[in-house]
């Protein structure tokens, strides 16, 4: 009994150290380095801000590694969650990869079916973006660009975004999730982990990440929406991690999401602005409806399995 209590206290200590390091590094860089450069008209500062935002994604992995070193935790094959375990688990890789692709497109399609006036097949929104940079592109040319982006998002984003997304997923799903599952039941573990992931995004959300600026209830409603989005996505990524005993499928799912999530925005109308809290991106309630329903199903499955085991 005493050994278990000591282990339990040590695991809580490790969770606290991991969160302390990760949030300290992330909030420090985002508040004191990135925020002063946001909205800068100087291209160098704008590019540096983008590089720093990408770099911040490595902090959860840094937090996990430093916590292991500080607390003397073994870097063994069993607890690193890095072995891909492809054998017998390809369906979970398919769920993380192609499932994410399908749900992004279905969510955007559902949004435009509900709000058809907000759909613009000529992609005027993207055209204006190009023109603001002094580039003139025909509608046919835009279609070619969008098709190329979709193909790259589906087939190349798991590779191109793998390293950055690994920085997050090895921390959240590879380290924090197993610690939470060792301490709490599966439902609270997944919900709390997702909520923490959402809170980790707070400085960027305040700076306009995903939901922009000036919306009603800013920034509280944006922070709440981001937390809910992270809980939903966190359930999907946690599910494939639990099933495969590896964070690699979660990395792939996250990489695809980052590569394709904005595709629906390309077809939004300039005359009828879209609602960021509804869609068409998966960060909205309608654009993300497929993810919400899938997350609910997966959470119920995990809950029932845990109950049957007991």
């Amino acid at each position: 009994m005493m050994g278990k209590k000591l282990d339990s206290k040590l695991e809580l200590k490790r969770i606290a150290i991991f969160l302390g390091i990760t949030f300290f590094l992330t909030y420090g860089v985002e508040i004191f380095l990135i925020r002063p450069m946001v909205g800068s008209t100087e291209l160098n500062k704008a590019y540096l801000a983008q590089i720093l935002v990408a770099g911040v994604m490595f902090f959860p992995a840094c937090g996990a590694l430093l916590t292991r070193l500080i607390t003397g935790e073994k870097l063994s094959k069993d607890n690193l969650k890095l072995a891909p375990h492809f054998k017998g688990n390809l369906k979970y890789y398919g769920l993380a990869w192609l499932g994410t692709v399908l749900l992004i497109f279905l969510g955007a399609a559902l949004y435009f079916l509900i709000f058809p006036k907000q759909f613009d097949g000529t992609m005027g929104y993207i055209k204006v973006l190009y023109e603001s940079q002094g580039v003139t592109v025909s509608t046919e040319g835009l279609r070619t660009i969008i098709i190329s982006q979709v193909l790259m998002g589906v087939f190349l984003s798991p590779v191109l975004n793998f390293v950055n997304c690994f920085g997050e997923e090895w921390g959240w799903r590879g380290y924090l999730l197993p610690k939470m599952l060792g301490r709490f039941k599966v439902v609270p573990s997944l919900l709390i982990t997702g909520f923490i992931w959402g809170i980790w995004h707070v400085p960027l959300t305040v700076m306009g990440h995903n939901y922009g600026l000036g919306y009603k209830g800013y920034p509280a409603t944006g922070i709440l929406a981001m937390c809910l989005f992270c809980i939903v996505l966190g359930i999907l990524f946690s599910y494939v991690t639990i099933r495969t005993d590896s964070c690699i499928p979660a990395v792939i799912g996250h990489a695809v999401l980052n590569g394709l999530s904005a595709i629906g925005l390309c077809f939004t109308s300039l005359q009828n602005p879209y609602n960021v809290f509804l869609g068409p991106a998966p960060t909205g309630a309608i654009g993300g409806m497929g993810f919400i329903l899938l997350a609910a199903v997966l959470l119920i499955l995990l809950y029932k399995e845990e109950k049957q085991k007991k």
Side-chain angles (χ1 to χ4, degrees):
M1 289 293 291
M2 182 61 69
K4 287 184 179 179
K5 285 183 180 178
L6 287 173
D7 288 344
S8 179
K9 285 182 180 178
L10 180 58
E11 291 301 282
L12 282 175
K13 181 182 176 183
R14 283 170 172 158
I15 290 172
I17 292 172
F18 164 73
L19 293 177
I21 292 171
T22 303
F23 275 77
F24 175 77
L25 292 174
T26 303
Y27 278 32
V29 169
E30 290 177 348
I31 293 170
F32 297 107
L33 293 180
I34 296 174
R35 189 169 187 181
M37 291 186 284
V38 171
S40 175
T41 54
E42 296 179 36
L43 283 177
N44 288 340
K45 286 187 177 180
Y47 288 140
L48 180 57
Q50 290 178 359
I51 291 169
L52 288 174
V53 169
V56 161
M57 295 176 71
F58 290 97
F59 288 153
C62 292
L65 181 60
L66 288 172
T67 303
R68 291 181 191 278
L69 296 175
I70 291 168
T71 61
E73 191 172 0
K74 258 197 236 179
L75 296 172
S76 66
K77 183 181 175 182
D78 293 332
N79 66 14
L80 288 179
K81 307 296 179 187
L82 293 177
H85 299 146
F86 291 125
K87 189 176 180 181
N89 291 318
L90 290 180
K91 59 185 175 182
Y92 301 116
Y93 279 87
L95 175 62
W97 185 349
L98 300 179
T100 299
V101 171
L102 181 63
L103 292 177
I104 288 171
F105 284 114
L106 286 177
L110 177 63
Y111 180 84
F112 288 125
L113 280 173
I114 296 173
F115 302 104
K117 289 182 180 179
Q118 293 179 15
F119 179 78
D120 179 7
T122 64
M123 295 165 282
Y125 175 77
I126 298 298
K127 198 169 186 178
V128 168
L129 286 179
Y130 273 107
E131 288 173 353
S132 68
Q133 298 170 12
V135 180
T136 303
V137 186
S138 65
T139 302
E140 201 60 42
L142 283 174
R143 283 177 186 156
T144 302
I145 290 170
I146 295 300
I147 291 171
S148 299
Q149 288 182 345
V150 168
L151 292 174
M152 285 182 66
V154 174
F155 298 107
L156 293 182
S157 60
V159 177
L160 298 176
N161 297 333
F162 188 90
V163 175
N164 284 354
C165 293
F166 173 82
E168 281 198 51
E169 292 305 323
W170 192 54
W172 303 125
R173 255 57 66 177
Y175 188 80
L176 181 60
L177 178 63
K179 301 293 183 196
M180 298 296 288
L181 289 171
R183 180 70 182 175
F184 305 103
K185 291 182 179 179
V186 68
V187 172
S189 292
L190 269 60
L191 296 180
I192 294 170
T193 303
F195 178 74
I196 290 171
W197 188 26
I199 292 297
W200 179 73
H201 285 89
V202 164
L204 287 182
T205 304
V206 172
M207 287 182 252
H209 181 63
N210 282 330
Y211 301 104
L213 303 166
Y215 48 79
K216 190 174 181 180
Y218 169 86
T221 46
I223 292 170
L224 175 61
M226 192 63 193
C227 287
L228 293 174
F229 176 66
C230 286
I231 289 171
V232 169
L233 264 293
I235 291 170
L236 170 58
F237 296 159
S238 295
Y239 179 82
V240 294
T241 299
I242 292 169
R243 286 285 186 253
T244 61
D245 196 33
S246 170
C247 72
I248 302 302
V251 175
I252 292 172
H254 196 157
V256 172
L257 181 76
N258 284 7
L260 274 178
S261 61
I263 199 67
L265 303 180
C266 298
F267 298 93
T268 53
S269 169
L270 289 169
Q271 288 71 37
N272 298 287
Y274 63 94
N275 186 316
V276 291
F277 295 112
L278 295 180
T283 46
I286 296 174
M289 185 55 65
F291 288 101
I292 294 170
L293 295 176
L294 177 61
V297 171
L298 298 180
L299 196 63
I300 291 169
L301 285 174
L302 291 171
Y303 168 75
K304 286 183 176 180
E305 286 181 14
E306 182 181 64
K307 197 173 179 181
Q308 287 172 355
K309 284 178 183 178
K310 287 185 177 181

